[in-house]
């Protein structure tokens, strides 16, 4: 054939053309993180659930009533990591911990940047360290770590 | 007529009449999932003395996240060769829950037999990253906690609440590895002394390497039969006299991690405490979890726990729970026990738990 064949082309864009809402409760929690504030929500009997959920995990009743908690908090359990994995939030030795802010009745998973394992203890007091206001995006990454209260 | 024990929940009697598992290995690099399952499926048919044509229902447990491709359970059916077509189902859970579905299906009364299998190649991916996907996507997964770090939080809670010590964890690991020396299918078989185990450095404190399960590739299969039919396939069928499963919140910061409420509930409904227990096979992949589940089920110190070596000596994901049901049943099938308990778990830190009581006639 002397003529080059005509090649038909059409654009095709692979996309995910929708965004997912985090809803009124998780959404409020993430928005509060952007504002540098921790919030919980009232469950059955007035118990404050943190991080907030749309239902009470024990009774399945709908929760209502956002309340500010923290930033001071208590470590309810912890494990010390000497060699952080590449996906961990901190790249120097730190503690994973369950952290129950003042005013809350349940705890959240996060990290404690305590320097050394000997600084860690169940029941120790810690406080939240946020990213600078202009870097916060309304996600868990807004919260850098918790640190021992006396160290702040 | 042979005797069938009364069922606690008034259900149609269903028994485990055959169990087969393959040798758990760190990495089965020469077989794909179908090839891993084939010998197990053939063996379980041989053990029960039936063919696939006599099977009324098939149910499997596996997870596509391990293989990294969709609908891998459909391919797995090639290990059976279901022609003419058969009624079949799958759960994206441990095979123990596939057994639960098959048990429920047999309650309909129109079918008398079921094949249940579970399989998982843990060696294919990064388990920390894969299991991160089961955590809360907004508050937990973005932090990328690994499996050992999460387990450490639970182990600390056990210690803090005075329910166990680091030495207890080491004793459980030593016993499991020693018992595994008698199990041809186990992976970690060693006679370790507790003092040596205690001298290991922490991986994530308070956990040392011996507190962790091995990473295992494996598969297993079970045949269920209902009513008198069970005696066609086994001399001593292992009758399911009680079975239940319960789940707790995924927000594990809202749970007391040292206590398993869901296991206690499922165990009470299954009737664990209604009689003596010869053997308990518990899917407690981290040593401290054995203490939690043992307490939740109210098991006496005299109960033989995980005589197979349990998950601390072989932990094939997605068939580990089915193995517990199989091992607990095998003790009855062999005439070594008359009443045994099996436990399986799913989700982070013992979130969901299944308990089954098995009895010989």
């Amino acid at each position: 054939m002397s003529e080059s064949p005509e090649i038909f082309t059409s654009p095709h864009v692979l996309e995910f053309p929708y965004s997912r809402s985090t809803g009124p409760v998780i959404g409020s929690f993430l928005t509060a993180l952007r504002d540098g504030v921790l919030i919980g929500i009232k469950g059955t009997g007035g118990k404050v659930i943190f991080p907030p959920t749309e239902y009470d995990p024990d009774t399945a009743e709908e929760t209502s009533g956002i309340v500010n908690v923290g930033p001071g908090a208590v470590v309810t359990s912890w494990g010390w990591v000497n060699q952080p994995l590449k996906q961990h939030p901190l790249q120097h030795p730190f503690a994973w911990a369950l952290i129950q802010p003042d005013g809350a009745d349940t705890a959240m998973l996060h990290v404690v940047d305590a320097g050394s394992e000997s600084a860690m203890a169940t029941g120790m007091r810690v406080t939240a360290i946020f990213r600078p206001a202009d870097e916060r995006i309304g996600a868990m990454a807004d919260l850098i770590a918790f640190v021992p209260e006396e160290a702040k | 007529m042979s005797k069938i024990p009364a069922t606690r929940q008034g259900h149609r009697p269903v028994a485990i009449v055959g169990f087969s598992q393959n040798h758990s290995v760190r990495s089965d690099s020469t077989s794909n999932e179908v090839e891993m399952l084939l010998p197990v499926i053939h063996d379980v048919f041989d053990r029960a003395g039936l063919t696939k044509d006599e099977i009324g229902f098939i149910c499997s447990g596996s997870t596509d996240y391990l293989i990294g491709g969709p609908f891998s359970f459909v391919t797995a059916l090639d290990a059976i060769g279901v022609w003419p077509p058969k009624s079949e189902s799958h759960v994206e859970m441990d095979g123990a829950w596939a057994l639960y579905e098959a048990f429920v299906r047999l309650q309909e009364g129109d079918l008398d037999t079921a094949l249940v299998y579970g399989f998982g190649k843990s060696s294919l991916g990064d388990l920390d990253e894969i299991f991160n996907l089961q955590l809360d996507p907004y508050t937990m997964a973005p932090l990328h906690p690994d499996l050992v770090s999460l387990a450490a939080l639970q182990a600390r809670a056990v210690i803090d609440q005075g329910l166990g010590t680091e030495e207890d964890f080491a004793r459980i690991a030593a016993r499991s590895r020693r018992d595994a020396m008698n199990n041809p299918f186990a992976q970690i078989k060693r006679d370790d002394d507790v003092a040596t185990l205690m001298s290991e450095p922490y991986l994530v404190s308070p956990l040392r390497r011996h507190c962790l399960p091995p990473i295992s590739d494996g598969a297993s299969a079970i045949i269920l039969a209902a009513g008198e039919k069970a005696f066609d396939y086994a001399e001593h069928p292992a009758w399911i006299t009680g079975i239940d499963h319960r789940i707790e919140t995924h927000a594990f910061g809202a749970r007391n991690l040292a206590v398993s409420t869901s296991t206690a509930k499922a165990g009470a409904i299954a009737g664990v405490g209604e009689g003596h227990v010869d053997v308990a096979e518990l899917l407690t992949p981290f040593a401290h979890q054995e203490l939690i589940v043992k307490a939740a089920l109210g098991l006496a110190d005299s109960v033989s726990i995980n005589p197979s070596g349990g998950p601390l000596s072989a932990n094939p994901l997605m068939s580990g729970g089915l193995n517990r049901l199989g091992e607990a049943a095998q003790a009855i099938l062999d005439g070594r026990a008359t009443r045994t308990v099996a436990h399986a778990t799913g989700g982070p830190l013992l979130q969901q738990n299944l308990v089954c009581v098995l009895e010989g006639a």
Side-chain angles (χ1 to χ4, degrees):
Chain A
M1 270 199 279
S2 56
E3 291 173 40
S4 56
E6 189 182 354
I7 296 170
F8 295 99
T9 64
S10 94
H12 176 72
V13 180
L14 190 62
E15 58 183 338
F16 227 29
Y18 57 88
S19 59
R20 186 167 50 169
S21 164
T22 51
V25 175
I26 300 291
S28 299
F29 170 74
L30 296 175
T31 304
L33 283 184
R34 194 185 62 199
D35 297 337
V37 175
L38 303 178
I39 60 161
I41 198 163
K42 282 188 184 159
T44 305
K47 169 183 66 181
V48 175
I49 300 160
F50 172 83
T53 52
E54 294 184 8
Y55 60 92
D56 185 300
D58 290 330
T59 64
E61 286 177 359
E62 200 175 328
T63 52
S64 65
I66 300 274
V67 285
N68 285 5
V69 297
V74 169
V75 169
T76 61
S77 191
W78 58 280
W80 186 258
V81 179
N82 259 320
Q83 289 174 305
L85 302 176
K86 63 181 189 315
Q87 69 268 28
H88 282 166
L90 298 176
Q91 289 303 303
H92 53 266
F94 69 96
W96 285 104
L98 288 173
I99 290 158
Q100 186 170 322
D102 299 340
D105 295 297
T106 69
M108 179 180 78
L109 176 72
H110 215 280
V111 298
V112 178
D113 193 359
S116 76
E117 182 169 6
S118 60
M120 292 297 304
T122 302
M124 72 186 283
R125 289 202 52 85
V126 291
T127 191
I129 301 293
F130 288 91
R131 279 186 201 290
D134 58 350
E135 292 178 18
R136 297 199 287 257
I137 55 170
M140 281 301 273
D142 294 347
L143 194 51
I144 298 172
F146 286 77
V147 295
E149 211 162 54
E150 64 270 24
K152 200 193 175 185
Chain B
M1 192 183 256
S2 311
K3 196 167 146 269
I4 299 175
T7 59
R8 180 172 164 81
Q9 292 143 303
H11 57 252
R12 182 187 189 205
V14 171
I16 295 176
V17 295
F19 167 55
S20 180
Q21 62 182 313
N22 67 4
H23 185 179
S24 284
V25 292
R26 173 61 182 82
S27 176
D28 183 349
S29 54
T30 58
S31 316
N32 64 24
E33 284 77 357
V34 174
E35 291 163 338
M36 217 165 62
L37 269 169
L38 255 170
V40 174
I41 301 291
H42 279 269
D43 187 50
V44 81
F45 283 151
D46 285 348
R47 282 165 184 263
L50 48 62
T51 68
K52 66 176 178 171
D53 297 328
E54 293 170 65
I55 293 295
F57 180 65
I58 300 167
C59 197
S60 61
S62 68
T63 175
D64 283 351
Y65 288 87
L66 287 180
I67 194 170
F71 296 96
S72 56
F73 60 93
V74 178
T75 322
L77 275 172
D78 283 348
I80 303 154
V82 275
W83 187 265
K86 281 204 185 291
S87 176
E88 182 267 344
S89 184
H90 172 261
V91 293
E92 189 82 6
M93 307 174 86
D94 188 289
W97 274 268
L99 182 139
Y100 186 87
E101 179 176 338
F103 166 84
V104 171
R105 179 63 188 85
L106 291 179
Q107 297 305 308
E108 293 291 324
D110 58 327
L111 301 173
D112 295 327
T113 53
L115 165 68
V116 181
Y117 59 93
F119 61 98
K121 289 195 75 172
S122 312
S123 62
L124 295 176
D126 180 337
L127 296 181
D128 288 327
E129 286 298 273
I130 292 168
F131 280 84
N132 192 49
L133 297 169
Q134 74 178 346
L135 301 178
D136 183 290
Y138 306 110
T139 61
M140 292 180 188
L143 297 168
H144 293 274
D146 56 288
L147 290 163
V148 179
S149 293
L150 292 183
L153 298 175
Q154 186 172 42
R156 178 88 57 194
V158 167
I159 294 167
D160 286 345
Q161 292 174 43
L163 303 172
T165 63
E166 291 176 28
E167 276 218 355
D168 291 333
F169 306 165
R171 270 192 284 272
I172 288 167
R175 189 207 67 219
S176 298
R177 292 169 170 193
R178 203 159 37 238
D179 287 347
M181 292 165 76
N182 299 315
N183 180 355
F185 306 104
Q187 188 178 337
I188 309 293
K189 316 166 183 219
R190 270 211 300 266
D191 192 2
D192 291 320
D193 66 89
V194 172
T196 309
L197 295 180
M198 287 297 287
S199 68
E200 289 174 359
Y202 288 122
L203 222 53
V204 176
S205 76
L207 297 181
R208 298 174 173 88
R209 186 165 289 282
H210 63 258
C211 304
L212 280 50
I215 294 173
S216 314
D217 287 355
S220 57
I222 276 178
I223 305 279
L224 295 180
E228 288 293 327
K229 194 92 179 163
F231 294 105
D232 293 352
Y233 306 121
E235 195 183 342
H236 307 290
W239 295 98
I240 297 171
T241 56
I243 187 167
D244 192 54
H245 66 99
R246 299 280 147 172
I247 192 165
E248 295 172 64
T249 176
H250 72 294
F252 51 76
R255 293 196 252 141
N256 177 355
L257 292 179
V259 174
S260 182
T261 311
S262 51
T263 302
K265 231 174 231 180
I269 290 167
V272 173
E274 305 288 307
H276 75 284
V277 176
D278 296 321
V279 170
E281 284 282 344
L282 313 178
L283 186 58
T284 46
F286 290 90
H288 66 270
Q289 293 177 335
E290 180 179 307
L291 299 171
I292 299 172
V293 171
K294 182 187 173 194
L297 294 175
L299 298 175
D301 287 336
S302 58
V303 176
S304 170
I305 294 181
N306 289 344
S308 65
L312 286 168
S313 69
N315 190 38
L317 296 173
M318 317 317 286
S319 63
L322 193 64
N323 280 355
R324 306 280 71 75
L325 284 151
E327 293 282 7
Q330 197 64 53
I332 293 172
L333 290 165
D334 293 345
R336 286 181 278 124
T338 56
R339 194 168 187 272
T340 63
V341 168
H343 158 267
T345 195
L349 304 178
L350 302 174
Q351 184 194 0
Q352 184 172 15
N353 294 282
L354 178 147
V355 180
C356 180
V357 177
L358 295 160
E359 292 184 44

